[in-house]
């Protein structure tokens, strides 16, 4: 073999050795990454029982609060729940909803119903009281849903203009009815009993305090339903 041939062979060997060494280092680095990931997975798996327990505790806490609000109130002064409402099914429906602004809106509305807030025509606050559309606007604003108020237009009409009408409501949507003067509405809470018109939360008039009510008792020939209106919450637009 010539000297040049020998140098070529030697160079190839050195190149191969360097290349193999580089590959071995890369393999070791990947093994280290895999080992670190395995450790992270093991740590996360160890947290699963604790996290599951925390989720169960949160669910039980929410369940307890919802039950508390409907049982601790003095029925002589606070009538949070229409006796025609199947509260067990409503509560189950709310609990199954994914966490988000839509669900939080319903919980906020229920908490406000417990506060025995008076009906006040044109009222816009918890202390001053609410009428039907101002209650809906207030609750929606707490979930960062902007409500457009058109000068010279009733708030209920502005709400119906802002949100588009749908055939099938979702909890957290709005439902409107034709009133004797203008229109009024409620926040749609749950489907309720099979075959029923659903359950809503809101206020109608001074004689009907802020409460959770069966929509079967609202949708009558005197107050026919106009329709359901879809509310798009900010976290649903992302």
């Amino acid at each position: 073999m010539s000297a040049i041939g020998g140098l070529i062979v030697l160079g190839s060997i050195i190149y191969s050795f360097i290349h193999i060494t580089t590959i071995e280092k890369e393999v070791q680095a990947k093994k280290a990454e895999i080992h670190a990931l395995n450790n992270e997975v093991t740590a996360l798996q160890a947290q699963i029982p604790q996290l599951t327990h925390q989720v169960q505790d949160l669910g039980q806490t929410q369940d307890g609060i919802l039950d508390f609000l409907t049982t601790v109130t003095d029925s002589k002064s606070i009538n949070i729940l229409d006796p025609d409402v199947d509260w067990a099914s409503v509560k189950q429906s709310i609990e199954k909803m994914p966490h988000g602004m839509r669900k939080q809106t319903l919980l906020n509305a229920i908490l406000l119903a417990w506060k025995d807030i008076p009906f006040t025509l044109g009222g816009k606050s918890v202390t001053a009281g609410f009428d039907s559309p101002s209650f809906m606007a207030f609750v929606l604003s707490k979930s960062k849903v902007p409500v457009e108020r058109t000068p010279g237009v009733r708030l209920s009409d502005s709400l119906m203009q802002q949100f588009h009408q749908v055939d099938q409501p979702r909890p957290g949507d709005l439902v409107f009815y034709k009133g004797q003067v203008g229109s009024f509405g409620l926040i749609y809470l749950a489907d309720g009993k099979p075959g029923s018109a659903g359950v809503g939360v809101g206020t109608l008039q001074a004689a009907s305090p802020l409460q959770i009510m069966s929509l079967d008792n609202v949708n009558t020939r005197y107050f026919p339903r106009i329709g359901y209106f879809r509310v798009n919450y900010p976290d649903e637009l992302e």
Side-chain angles (χ1 to χ4, degrees):
M1 180 183 296
S2 66
I4 295 176
L7 289 173
I8 292 174
V9 171
L10 179 61
S12 298
I13 293 173
I14 293 173
Y15 173 79
S16 298
F17 176 77
I18 294 173
H19 187 60
I20 291 171
T21 302
T22 302
I23 292 175
E24 287 179 344
K25 289 181 179 179
E26 291 178 355
V27 169
Q28 291 300 322
K30 292 298 181 183
K31 285 182 177 180
E33 290 180 12
I34 292 172
H35 181 70
L37 288 173
N38 285 335
N39 288 338
E40 290 182 14
V41 170
T42 301
L44 290 172
Q45 288 176 334
Q47 294 177 22
I48 289 176
Q50 180 182 2
L51 293 173
T52 300
H53 181 69
Q54 290 177 353
V55 170
Q56 291 173 343
D57 283 347
L58 288 172
Q60 291 173 355
T61 300
Q62 175 183 277
D63 184 59
I65 291 173
L66 292 175
D67 276 338
F68 170 80
L69 292 177
T70 58
T71 57
V72 76
T73 53
D74 181 358
S75 60
K76 294 181 181 179
S77 60
I78 303 176
N79 187 20
I80 184 176
L81 189 63
D82 180 344
D84 291 332
V85 171
D86 180 2
W87 177 243
S89 66
V90 172
K91 185 178 65 173
Q92 185 179 41
S93 172
I94 296 173
E95 290 170 349
K96 288 182 177 180
M97 290 178 64
H99 179 70
M101 292 181 178
R102 182 175 290 273
K103 182 175 184 178
Q104 189 60 51
T105 296
L106 300 184
L107 296 175
N108 290 346
I110 292 171
L111 288 170
L112 285 171
W114 179 70
K115 289 180 66 65
D116 193 26
I117 299 171
F119 175 91
T120 304
L121 189 62
K124 299 178 182 179
S125 69
V126 173
T127 53
F130 296 108
D131 58 16
S132 165
S134 63
F135 171 74
M136 293 187 291
F138 179 84
V139 174
L140 291 176
S141 70
K142 295 304 177 183
S143 295
K144 297 180 172 54
V145 176
V147 174
E148 301 170 2
R149 298 174 182 266
T150 305
V153 178
R154 294 179 185 275
L155 180 55
S156 56
D157 292 334
S158 292
L159 289 168
M160 285 188 285
Q161 291 171 5
Q162 178 177 349
F163 303 112
H164 69 277
Q165 191 168 352
V166 295
D167 294 329
Q168 297 296 326
R170 295 175 60 192
D173 287 344
L174 308 180
V175 53
F176 284 92
Y177 300 86
K178 184 178 179 181
Q180 294 177 342
V181 178
S183 56
F184 62 91
L186 300 164
I187 297 174
Y188 191 83
L189 194 60
D191 293 337
K193 301 175 182 178
S196 71
V199 177
V201 57
T203 183
L204 303 179
Q205 55 187 349
S208 301
L210 181 59
Q211 64 173 307
I212 299 164
M213 62 189 79
S214 169
L215 298 183
D216 286 327
N217 296 333
V218 183
N219 186 32
T220 65
R221 62 189 181 96
Y222 300 104
F223 304 110
R225 184 175 63 231
I226 297 173
Y228 305 105
F229 293 78
R230 176 61 37 82
V231 177
N232 294 314
Y233 291 87
D235 57 349
E236 297 173 345
L237 300 175
E238 297 175 356

